[in-house]
């Protein structure tokens, strides 16, 4: 796998060249990003409303605000603490548990479809993932994350107490809530996957939807198990995507352009809206 990069000049050259981009197509991919985040907000609303009903507006504020606040934490783990701060201290443990359930559902969907994609991909192409191409910062982030978790576990956690708390929390989760959470996570997965496929079509790439999904689901799986932060996320996904799509003889610059646009639409722009909620944030009264 090659650790390719895309300069700003190359990105704009590709975007302004003979492609299928138009005002209508840009509007469509923007709407897909809005739908992606709408279902994430709706998922959070349903999760929280199991014990404390909240409006869609409030769920939007908490979801986008936490997204912005967690950007510079490894794998956005800060999202747990950021969402918990919107609630009184006596509810924060439950909020973190519900957030964990929502993130687990998204990871489950990513792992399920990614495993299928990687299975078919590896049976068709001789893939070789070279960990030596990872940026040194990703090893550092992973090491710091593991160290922090070990210190926290030894300092604060009493296994028998936390086991009972987790068991009690899970027993209170209904099957209908689990199904809704998985449904919203699956809808999000297919929305941003279709968005990537649409971008490939706009760049005049002749690749079937099934082949796109095979490579894309493999990329999301591989990227999800590697530690990264906001600024390196696009580099990590770009490197993996360029490697996987190279088996279909697709120009790496086009793949990097698609990854960059996906990153801007689904990570950067929501964080700009979220920054508004971060600036207006006030701790709730305990």
């Amino acid at each position: 796998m090659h650790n390719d990069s895309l300069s700003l000049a190359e990105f704009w050259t590709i975007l302004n060249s003979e492609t299928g981009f138009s005002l209508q197509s840009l509007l469509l991919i923007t709407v897909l990003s809005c739908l992606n985040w709408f279902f994430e907000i709706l998922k959070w609303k349903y999760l929280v409303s199991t014990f404390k009903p909240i409006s869609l507006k409030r769920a939007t504020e908490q979801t986008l605000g936490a997204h912005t606040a967690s950007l510079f934490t490894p794998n956005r783990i800060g999202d747990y603490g950021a969402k918990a701060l919107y609630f009184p201290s006596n509810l924060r443990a439950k909020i973190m548990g519900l957030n964990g359930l929502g993130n687990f559902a998204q990871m489950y969907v990513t792992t399920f479809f990614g495993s299928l994609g990687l299975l078919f991909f590896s049976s068709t192409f001789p893939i070789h993932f070279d960990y030596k191409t990872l940026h040194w910062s990703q090893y550092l982030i992973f090491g710091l994350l593991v160290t922090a978790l070990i210190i926290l576990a030894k300092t604060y956690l009493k296994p028998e107490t936390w086991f009972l708390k987790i068991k009690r929390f899970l027993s209170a989760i209904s099957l209908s809530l689990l199904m809704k959470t998985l449904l919203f996570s699956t809808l999000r997965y297919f929305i941003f996957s279709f968005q990537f496929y649409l971008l490939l079509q706009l760049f005049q790439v002749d690749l079937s939807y099934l082949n796109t999904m095979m490579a894309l689901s493999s990329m999301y799986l591989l990227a999800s198990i590697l530690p990264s932060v906001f600024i390196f996320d696009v580099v990590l996904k770009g490197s993996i995507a360029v490697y996987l799509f190279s088996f279909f003889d697709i120009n790496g610059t086009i793949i990097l352009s698609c990854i960059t646009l996906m990153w801007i639409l689904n990570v950067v722009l929501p964080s700009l809206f979220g920054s508004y909620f971060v600036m207006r944030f006030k701790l709730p009264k305990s």
Side-chain angles (χ1 to χ4, degrees):
M1 184 184 73
H2 301 290
N3 193 5
D4 299 276
S5 60
L6 179 68
S7 69
L8 186 61
E10 288 176 317
F11 175 68
W12 285 116
T13 299
I14 285 287
L15 199 57
N16 292 323
S17 63
E18 294 294 325
T19 66
F21 280 90
S22 63
L23 181 60
Q24 291 85 351
S25 61
L26 288 173
L27 180 61
L28 177 58
I29 59 176
T30 303
V31 167
L32 289 173
S33 289
C34 293
L35 278 175
N36 174 29
W37 277 98
F38 171 73
F39 284 116
E40 176 63 16
I41 292 166
L42 205 58
K43 180 170 71 174
W44 181 241
K45 181 182 183 299
Y46 274 101
L47 284 168
V48 176
S49 294
T50 55
F51 74 97
K52 183 179 175 62
I54 60 172
S55 64
L56 189 63
K57 180 181 177 182
R58 188 69 172 160
T60 301
E61 177 184 346
Q62 294 173 6
T63 303
L64 294 182
H67 168 70
T68 302
S70 66
L71 285 178
F72 294 96
T73 59
N75 285 23
R76 296 180 199 142
I77 197 171
D79 181 72
Y80 288 88
K83 277 181 179 170
L85 288 175
Y86 281 97
F87 295 84
S89 56
N90 63 312
L91 298 178
R92 287 172 186 169
K94 184 171 287 189
I95 287 297
M96 292 179 72
L98 290 170
N99 197 19
L101 178 63
N103 289 336
F104 174 79
Q106 199 67 57
M107 187 64 188
Y108 175 82
V109 172
T110 300
T111 303
F112 177 77
F113 289 108
S115 298
L116 288 177
L118 195 58
L119 178 65
F120 285 111
F121 201 101
S122 60
S123 64
T124 307
F125 301 104
I127 63 172
H128 173 68
F129 186 71
D130 186 4
Y131 289 90
K132 294 179 181 179
T133 61
L134 294 179
H135 195 276
W136 65 268
S137 59
Q138 290 158 359
Y139 290 109
L140 177 61
I141 291 167
F142 181 73
L144 291 173
L145 180 60
V146 170
T147 303
L149 289 175
I150 292 173
I151 293 173
L152 286 172
K154 287 185 175 181
T155 306
Y156 296 105
L157 301 187
K158 295 179 179 179
E160 65 281 359
T161 304
W162 278 87
F163 175 77
L164 291 174
K165 287 184 178 181
I166 293 171
K167 183 179 179 181
R168 194 180 305 119
F169 171 78
L170 292 176
S171 64
I173 302 298
S174 65
L175 180 61
S176 62
L177 179 61
L178 285 173
M179 292 298 100
K180 285 179 181 176
T181 306
L182 280 172
L183 174 62
F184 291 139
S185 298
T186 304
L187 287 172
R188 288 193 68 215
Y189 188 86
F190 281 105
I191 285 170
F192 58 70
S193 296
F194 178 73
Q195 187 181 36
F196 190 93
Y197 172 73
L198 180 60
L199 285 171
L200 286 178
Q201 298 304 303
L202 293 174
F203 278 113
Q204 314 276 327
V205 173
D206 184 20
L207 189 65
S208 71
Y209 180 74
L210 287 178
N211 282 336
T212 301
M213 284 300 297
M214 184 170 65
L216 194 62
S217 59
S218 300
M219 182 270 287
Y220 280 124
L221 175 63
L222 293 172
S224 68
I225 60 178
L226 297 173
S228 66
V229 292
F230 166 73
I231 197 66
F232 297 116
D233 188 52
V234 65
V235 177
L236 176 62
K237 287 180 179 176
S239 299
I240 298 172
V242 167
Y243 171 69
L244 293 175
F245 281 97
S246 67
F247 289 97
F248 299 104
D249 296 322
I250 299 176
N251 189 310
T253 307
I254 290 177
I255 297 301
L256 288 173
S257 297
C258 291
I259 291 291
T260 302
L261 283 170
M262 291 283 291
W263 181 67
I264 291 171
L265 290 167
N266 294 297
V267 179
V268 178
L269 287 182
S271 71
L272 294 178
F273 287 106
S275 62
Y276 168 76
F277 298 119
V278 170
M279 290 186 291
R280 295 179 70 249
F281 175 76
K282 293 180 181 179
L283 280 171
K285 297 178 180 180
S286 300

